[in-house]
Every structure is written in structure tokens, then in C-alpha cells.
Amino acid sequence: MVAVNENAQKRLTIQTVEIAPNTTAIRSLDWDRDRFDIEFGLQNGTTYNSYLIRGERTALVDTSHTKFREQYLETLKSLVNPKEIDYIIVSHTEPDHSGLVEDVLQIAPRATVLASKVALQFLENLVHDPFSKRIVKTGDSVDLGDGHEIQFVSAPNLHWPDTIFSFDKKTQTLFTCDAFGMHYCSDDTFDVNLEAIEPDFKFYYDCLMGPNARSLLNAMKRMGDLGKIKIIANGHGPLLYHNLDTLKECYQSWSQKQAKTETIIGLYYVSEYGYSDRLAQSIGHGIQKTGIGVEMLDLTTTDLQEIQELAGRAAGIIIGMPPSHNTAAQAAISSLLAVVKNKQVIGLYESYGGDDEPIDTLRRKFLEHGVREAFEAIRIKEEPNNDVFRAADEAGNEMGQLLVRERNIKHLKSIDADLEKALGRISNGLYVVTTKKGDIKGAMVASWIAQASLQPLGFTVAIAKERGIESSLQIGDKFVLNVLEEGNYHDLKKHFLKRLLPGVDRFEGVKTQTAKNGSPILTDALAYMECEVKTTMECSDHTLLYCTVSEGRISDPDGMTAVRHRKVGTYY
């Protein structure tokens, strides 16, 4: 193992490791990156993985992020004479994997780029000089000699429409780019510590792969035709080897569950146009938190029949504004208008691509078909920031909650009235959970809380999956539990139940102090406790958190906790 060119200030390092015969991983380790595409917070940095395969001919699988330009190119030159590189396999064209393709082509002039048809179309806009290229798809292969035959698998929509997998028959290594990856940076080349990487593996799946569960299942079916796979060489994080079967099964079961979701939303976007795809990911993340399924398709590259098929199954449709002069996108919009039903709900967002289709014109066309608007159209007048991505997440969440409510109304009508009333006799206290993660503060009213242990002191809290605060209550996160006081809770309860516009300070007008863990303490609360999330359990439409308490104080020893009395158990 060799680490070269460490940048102490930004903590950018390169790791090179021989992972199989004649196969070297070039891993660009970004230790301190805490955001990815703005909208998803990272806890443990990330990596950008590239691979060099040498037989009688040499192939480079993917490159790296432009921030690693000098380090990556220097490392590549130390491993191989670039003029001897015969092929550059581009798994997909997102900049964190293909950002240095043009640089590599300049020093490897005889290399042929192997990629999907869509990827090559994108690359022609990124690489300014002519280059040798060849379209590859499922069943195609290239022989590097010495037994290294590379077989290709089309894997569209994982998570871009241009993705391919590459399989080296000799080493039984599958190169998957984003699929099976995770944003987790460490010196461990492989998945030696399952417990450490599992939360990041699941979070990555939820954010990027879950919205394309059907496409993932199709890709995994094609993977089954390749034979035994010993190593999954992904594009981010440690490679899968020690726990490969376990993590593959996770992908299979998560995707099957997602694909079987009865209620789904069709989310249509345009790759490599403005912020369309990244906003779609945020919206999709918000939808998934409600338990509603989501499937994402590119308006410009997906077959019209597939676009209409998804719209026919979907309870809701969300469209990112495509470029107004793109004929493929216009045909896709027309195909959607032809099949939309008045029982469906619609949501629209601007892509900030410079040539967006006018959102009001398209909105009017859909409303004329009798569909309902699930959330106010997202209009973007300047480059999207955290507030915009948060608004996109909340918009997806809003549509998801709307569909959940409509589904639940049907279900509630079938519940026995006496059972419903009996369950409602379980009473709970009233609390406010407050958080601060990075620069983002959050709060929510909670009542489903119960003490769960004495050694250590601990309790459980149930959080509805659609709640935006859930992302600040992951394992290891710290927060404050504020206990509301009987006879003195109405103002605080009313304040924290209000829906606010993105960017508005949730704590404006409320007296607060800062806890040792950084979270806000409500000065007018009866008591507070500083807490840490230790474990979680999935409970249908809620997540149950087990939390421990480190310290706490009470303002009035004679005060009583506010109690929430209900008449039925099917509402809060």
C-alpha cells in the first residue's frame, strides 16, 4: 500500500492498492468533505475510486474529482506510462468520476473511451478535442489479454441514465461506480468493519439508489448472469469483499421492498442540465421519508413508452423543468400530458439551467387536465443553496404526506371503532426535541416518549419517517429533550407546530440557551435533558430511537409535565 501527495491543509490523499492480479485501485481520499451535491450532509468524508487493469493492453476505469488533478495524474504516471493506456472506461459522466477524463486523454492520446451511448453524448460536451470512442452495452466485451476479458452491463438510472458496470472475468471483479458505494473515508481499502460502514451504506442507498429501485433490481438480475463476483469495486468508499454477500442482499431486499410499494411517485428530471438531477435527489429523499415509493427517469434519454408506463402507475408526478429547445424533452412532456389522470397530483420545479421551459405554462396545462397541485411550484432565481435543497426535500415530503393521508383515510375506515378508541386511551407527555447539526437547527413537538432503561438512563422516542428533523437524529447525533409544563405549554406547542417557509429561523421569538452539546434549550420549558441517539428500530411508519441522557435540569421541582389526552389512537 502506498499513500502519496498528502495535502495536510485540505486532507486530500491518494491511496494505491493492488486489489487483484494486475488490478490497482487508485483511491482519492477526501477526508474532510462534509457535503455532497450540497443537499446531503456527510459524516465521514468520501473517496473517489479509480482502477487500472493491465493485461497485454491497459484499461483505466473512471478517473477522479478535479480537486485531485495534480495528485491523481502524478500517481497515474507513477503506475503506468499514460501513452500505454489503451482504454478509458467511463462508468458514468458525473464530474466526481469523469472530472479528469479530458486531462487523461491529453496524456493518453491513443486511448479509446468505452462508455454508454448517453455517456458519450455527455462527454462530447465536456471534452473539447476529438477523441476515439466506442459505445458499449450489455453483452459487449473487450479483451485486454492475459485472461482479462472485460464484459459490460448496462445499468441505466444508477443514479444517472448513462451508467454501465464492467466485469473482469479473470479476477471476478465488478466495477460499479456509484452502485454499492458509500460516502465513507478511511485507510481501509475493503469493507473490514461492517458495523462502522453500515449506516453510511444505508444512507447512501436511501439518497441515491432507492429512488431507482426497479432499475437496480434489473441491473442485479444482469449481474447474476456474470457468474461468481468476488469483489465489487465501487466508486465511493471501501470496496466490498469481506461482507459482499451481506451487502448485496441488503441492496436486494431494500430494492424489493421499495419496488413493491403500492403508492409511488414518478419523478422526471434532466441529467446534466442546471440543478435538475440534484434537486430531484433532494425531492426523492423527502418522498422516501414518508414511506411512499419514488421512481426517477430522465426526460431526455428515456423511451417515451417507459415514461408513460411510469406515469400510468404513479399516484403523483413531479417534473423538473427541461430546456425549452430540447425536442426529446418536449416529446416526453407531451407524452405525460397524454396519459395524466385527474386523480393524480402534480409538482413542478425549476432547474436553473438557463433555458428552462416556462413553469407557469406547463403548470397551467396540467391543471387543465384536472390534476391537483401537491406543493407550490419551486421557483429558483439564483444558484441553489442549502435552503433551496431543503425546500426541495420538504416539497417531496409534502407530496408524500398528502398521498399517505389519502391512503390512511381509506385504511381508517376499515378499523374497528372500539379498537381505535381504546388505543387512544394511552396517554403521553408533551415535549419539544431540539437539535443543532452543523449550522442547521431544528425542533419538533413530540409525545410518543417513554423511559426505557435505568443503567444507563435512557428513553425511546418515536419519530414519524416524514419528519424533516429525522436527518438530525441519526445514531451518534446529540440533541435536547425539553419537557413542557402543564398549564404553561400552549404558546411553545403552537409555535413549534407552525409550518415555516425554508430559511426562516425556527426559534425566532423563543427564549433559548445553548446546551453543552450545542442544541437549543427552551428557557420556558419545565426541564431539559441532553441526549444522544444510541440505536434505532424501524417501526412501519415511524422510527423508534433509543437515547441515553448525559445531564439535565429542572426549573420548578413542583411543576408537572404537560399531558396529551387523545380520544382515538389513529391520530396524534
Side-chain angles (χ1 to χ4, degrees), residues 355-372:
D355 184 34
D356 284 12
E357 177 77 11
I359 198 166
D360 289 317
T361 302
L362 192 57
R363 174 178 176 271
R364 185 168 55 252
K365 289 179 180 179
F366 275 98
L367 294 182
E368 286 172 353
H369 281 70
V371 299
R372 293 168 295 145

Side-chain angles (χ1 to χ4, degrees), residues 19 55 494:
I19 60 169
K494 182 178 179 181

Side-chain angles (χ1 to χ4, degrees), residues 83-121:
K83 294 181 180 180
E84 296 176 359
I85 296 176
D86 297 277
Y87 301 105
I88 301 172
I89 298 172
V90 177
S91 303
H92 90 149
T93 53
E94 197 173 16
D96 54 317
H97 303 291
S98 64
L100 299 179
V101 168
E102 184 173 22
D103 298 84
V104 174
L105 282 171
Q106 289 175 354
I107 59 175
R110 71 189 196 96
T112 297
V113 175
L114 306 176
S116 69
K117 179 179 179 181
V118 176
L120 289 176
Q121 290 171 349

Side-chain angles (χ1 to χ4, degrees), residues 300-367:
T300 60
T301 62
T302 307
D303 182 78
L304 294 181
Q305 185 176 352
E306 189 175 352
I307 285 174
Q308 289 187 320
E309 189 276 331
L310 172 57
R313 291 186 287 112
I317 294 172
I318 298 175
I319 302 173
M321 293 303 97
S324 60
H325 295 96
N326 186 296
T327 54
Q330 295 303 317
I333 294 295
S334 297
S335 73
L336 287 171
L337 286 166
V339 298
V340 70
K341 302 185 288 286
N342 58 14
K343 291 184 178 181
Q344 291 173 312
V345 293
I346 188 78
L348 305 173
Y349 68 92
E350 292 181 337
S351 301
Y352 196 70
D355 184 34
D356 284 12
E357 177 77 11
I359 198 166
D360 289 317
T361 302
L362 192 57
R363 174 178 176 271
R364 185 168 55 252
K365 289 179 180 179
F366 275 98
L367 294 182

